[in-house]
Amino acid sequence: MASFPDSVNENDIGKAKFIGELLVPVAPFDQKSGREAWTVAFAPNGSYFAWSQGHRIVRLIPWTTCLKNFSTGHSGEATNAFSPRRLSLQNNSEGQGIPESDEPREHTIDCGDIVWGLAFGSSVPEKQSRCVNIEWHRFKFGQDQLLLATGLNNGRIKIWDVYTGKLLLNLMDHTDIVRDLTFAPDGSLMLVSASRDKTLRVWDLKDDGNMVKVLRGHQNWVYCSAFSPDSSILCSVGAGKAVFLWNMDTLTLIRKLEGHHNDVVSCEFSPDGALLATASYDTRVIVWDHHKATVLLELGHLFPPPSPIFAGGANDRWVRSVSFCPDGLHIATITDDRTRDGSVHFWERPRSVAGLQHICRMSLRRVMTTQQVEALAIPTPLRDYLTYKVI
């Protein structure tokens, strides 16, 4: 649990609302997995939720189904309408497509090995492949295409059609566990995989999954990677204190960010691309201006902040993941609490209405870097606000 300085009233902080959970069904493979929820993902269009418990099975559940089954009691506390028996998933067949009613169906996908990473990807036909010989492609993805990439224990990446559950591609090049996967958000179906073999690999799924580039630079395991909203920059973090930034147009390293005292395990850009948040085992989340390689904000799970020696060790407050809310006003983090029941909990972010100033700032920062904003002939207070020196 986070601790707060005397100047902060914990009651004034917006609280997330618990709305429901998915429980672990009782099955032999669930017992072997240690009843842990290893990785989850939402589809970009909000149609599906994917869930892996660390074994070879991935569950694809329509998000509308989840919402219909979550209900709120009179006391204001959320209740769960799902139970292990009621969470039944339909078996897939090769000829199965989208139902005529266009209602998403539940699927259970057997990936053949332990699943470490999940990522959804959608196709935009106008975004062409880098490959020249597009006539020879085996797959022609349409605009309504929704894919699921799974990173496996044996170093393979399997690409699935979400609507049919059919295996489309089997990508093989990593020599160790594929820890994380991320698609470029521009619809190009460029996929980046992060692995314990100390590399990132860039794949072009519109070119039948051909590998475009191996990104080298990490000296240890790579835990996580994330694209900027315009897909021009990739951030990667791993077993080390540095944060790597890559130019995805030239596929070269831009710079490293230094500031953490322990392994950096998660990263994400803000919705406008102006900020970068990184989470570390040092009990902290750092919010960066990645354009200028400066620290704007430090969020700690311990107060007062631990010394670098304590933060760099087994401090029982390892921050595992970080994520921005779509409104750009909130950051969610996950830290160790020693609870391993395998369930998935869903929370509703604090309700708030973004001010017009913040909306205008996000709109501007989607198209302008910090350096471009600083070059504007505007008053200093406005410049500080637009560059997030004033959060």
Side-chain angles (χ1 to χ4, degrees), residues 19 280 390:
I19 61 173
S280 169
V390 178

Side-chain angles (χ1 to χ4, degrees), residues 327 329-330 349-354:
D327 61 6
L329 293 174
H330 300 90
R349 65 171 175 82
R351 292 181 178 270
S352 61
V353 178

Side-chain angles (χ1 to χ4, degrees), residues 3 32-33 52 55 60 68 144 168-169 193-194 202 242 290 318:
S3 52
K32 293 179 181 178
S33 71
S52 168
H55 45 71
L60 281 169
K68 288 178 182 178
D144 61 345
L168 300 178
L169 293 169
S193 55
V202 184
H290 59 92
W318 284 1

Side-chain angles (χ1 to χ4, degrees), residues 232-253:
S232 65
I233 298 175
L234 180 81
C235 176
S236 64
V237 297
K241 303 173 185 178
V243 177
F244 289 68
L245 294 176
W246 307 86
N247 184 318
M248 293 309 290
D249 293 324
T250 62
L251 300 176
T252 57
L253 181 66

Side-chain angles (χ1 to χ4, degrees), residues 376-386:
L376 297 175
I378 56 177
T380 300
L382 179 57
R383 184 183 300 112
D384 290 345
Y385 181 78
L386 293 177

Side-chain angles (χ1 to χ4, degrees), residues 64-117:
T64 54
T65 301
C66 291
L67 291 178
K68 288 178 182 178
N69 283 276
F70 295 152
S71 60
T72 304
H74 295 291
S75 63
E77 295 182 357
T79 59
N80 174 36
F82 276 114
S83 67
R85 291 183 179 179
R86 295 185 64 184
L87 189 60
S88 60
L89 301 175
Q90 300 176 9
N91 294 327
N92 300 311
S93 60
E94 290 189 3
Q96 187 178 36
I98 306 176
E100 292 182 0
S101 62
D102 290 332
E103 287 291 330
R105 291 180 177 175
E106 297 180 358
H107 294 292
T108 298
I109 294 178
D110 187 343
C111 297
D113 204 345
I114 295 175
V115 180
W116 284 78

Side-chain angles (χ1 to χ4, degrees), residues 246-293:
W246 307 86
N247 184 318
M248 293 309 290
D249 293 324
T250 62
L251 300 176
T252 57
L253 181 66
I254 300 173
R255 65 173 64 94
K256 298 179 186 178
L257 306 179
E258 304 284 350
H260 282 292
H261 302 303
N262 206 329
D263 291 352
V264 191
V265 294
S266 181
C267 58
E268 185 167 286
F269 288 90
S270 61
D272 60 4
L275 307 175
L276 171 67
T278 56
S280 169
Y281 288 167
D282 66 7
T283 77
R284 297 179 302 155
V285 169
I286 294 181
V287 179
W288 308 81
D289 181 335
H290 59 92
H291 296 291
K292 300 192 70 176

